[in-house]
């Protein structure tokens, strides 16, 4: 069984038999998938256990060997805390993760981590806005087509709730095909939104 399969098994158990899910999550191979598994347990565990298991997940991710792999799986923890209404804890964690991303990390990896963190924070506006500011600045300063494509999508996602704000984000972009495509799509229904963090499909990372 692969580490992803182990994660999926633990995560599928979480809403059904949370204790069994916790035992399975702690056996998942590798800090990345184990962190995600523990986040799923935190999402469905008894109320008194949420923050303790969330903290265990974060500590697990810190065993990874680079900043991106330490931060990115913690997005699942952020989403779990938000969905369990642990907003103060989520805000503290987001602050810690953003601080980590100011360290020694490749600019494209920083953008990728911010992308996942932004999606995780989406349901809770205070966290979402905090990540968005950093994400937009990072995309604008990163010379990569991936950053441009991401920022174009973010502008459309934000515009779906606040057209003016989405346009302001788009206006910060250089004139690229991603910007032009986004400008044509502004105001139209989105083809896809943020990911569902606790609904794993084959191929999910």
């Amino acid at each position: 069984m692969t580490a992803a399969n182990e994660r999926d098994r633990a995560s599928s158990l979480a809403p059904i038999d949370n204790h069994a899910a916790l035992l399975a999550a702690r056996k998942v191979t590798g800090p990345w998938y184990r962190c995600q598994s523990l986040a799923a347990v935190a999402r469905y565990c008894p109320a008194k256990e949420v923050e303790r298991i969330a903290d265990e997940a974060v500590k697990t991710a810190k065993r990874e060997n680079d900043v991106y792999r330490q931060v990115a799986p913690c997005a699942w923890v952020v989403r779990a805390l938000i969905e369990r209404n642990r907003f103060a804890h989520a805000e503290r964690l987001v602050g810690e993760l953003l601080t980590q991303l100011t360290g020694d990390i490749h600019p494209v990896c920083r953008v990728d981590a911010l992308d996942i963190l932004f999606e995780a924070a989406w349901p809770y506006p205070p966290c979402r806005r905090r990540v968005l500011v950093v994400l937009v600045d990072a995309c604008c300063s990163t010379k990569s087509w991936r950053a441009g494509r991401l920022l174009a999508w973010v502008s459309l996602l934000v515009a779906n709730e606040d057209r003016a704000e989405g346009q302001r984000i788009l206006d910060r972009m250089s004139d690229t095909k991603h910007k032009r495509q986004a400008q044509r799509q502004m105001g139209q229904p989105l083809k896809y939104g943020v990911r569902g963090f606790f609904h794993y499909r084959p191929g999910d990372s």
Side-chain angles (χ1 to χ4, degrees), residues 21-37:
L22 178 59
L23 295 178
R26 286 172 171 164
K27 295 178 182 177
V28 170
T29 306
W32 177 293
Y33 291 115
R34 195 178 312 133
C35 174
Q36 290 177 318
S37 302

Side-chain angles (χ1 to χ4, degrees), residues 20-203:
L22 178 59
L23 295 178
R26 286 172 171 164
K27 295 178 182 177
V28 170
T29 306
W32 177 293
Y33 291 115
R34 195 178 312 133
C35 174
Q36 290 177 318
S37 302
L38 288 166
V41 173
R43 171 61 183 83
Y44 296 103
C45 71
K48 65 181 181 179
E49 299 294 324
V50 173
E51 295 183 0
R52 181 182 66 80
I53 295 174
D55 288 345
E56 181 179 344
V58 173
K59 289 177 182 177
T60 297
K62 289 181 179 179
R63 297 173 188 166
E64 284 286 0
N65 57 10
D66 65 64
V67 174
Y68 171 76
R69 295 189 64 83
Q70 291 171 359
V71 171
C74 288
W76 276 256
V77 185
V78 170
R79 175 57 74 88
L81 289 168
I82 289 172
E83 292 188 4
R84 294 302 298 271
N85 300 322
R86 299 307 200 275
F87 300 126
H89 207 88
E91 289 190 63
R92 285 196 299 273
L93 178 55
V94 165
E96 292 169 6
L97 297 174
L98 291 177
T99 297
Q100 270 188 274
L101 289 173
T102 63
D104 185 17
I105 180 173
H106 190 282
V108 174
C109 292
R110 179 180 293 111
V111 165
D112 287 346
L114 287 166
D115 172 21
I116 301 173
L117 190 56
F118 176 67
E119 293 186 59
W122 179 261
Y124 183 54
C127 282
R128 181 205 311 177
R129 288 191 292 268
R130 189 172 181 182
V131 178
L132 178 61
V133 170
V134 181
L135 173 59
V136 172
D137 286 345
C139 286
C140 288
S141 63
T142 300
K143 298 184 184 303
S144 166
W145 63 268
R146 288 169 61 179
R149 184 181 65 180
L150 171 60
L151 193 55
W153 173 74
V154 167
S155 73
L156 294 175
L157 188 66
V158 171
N160 202 45
E161 292 197 354
D162 185 336
R163 175 72 177 266
E165 179 62 19
Q167 186 63 56
R168 281 192 290 272
I169 293 170
L170 193 61
D171 289 344
R172 290 191 58 182
M173 291 183 64
S174 301
D175 184 24
T176 65
K177 68 175 184 179
H178 298 300
K179 180 177 182 177
R180 293 191 293 271
Q181 288 171 354
Q183 191 63 71
R184 290 193 296 270
Q185 295 167 12
M186 187 68 68
Q188 298 179 15
L190 291 175
K191 292 182 180 179
Y192 59 95
V194 299
R195 73 186 72 198
F197 278 75
F198 300 107
H199 306 282
Y200 294 105
R201 299 164 298 180

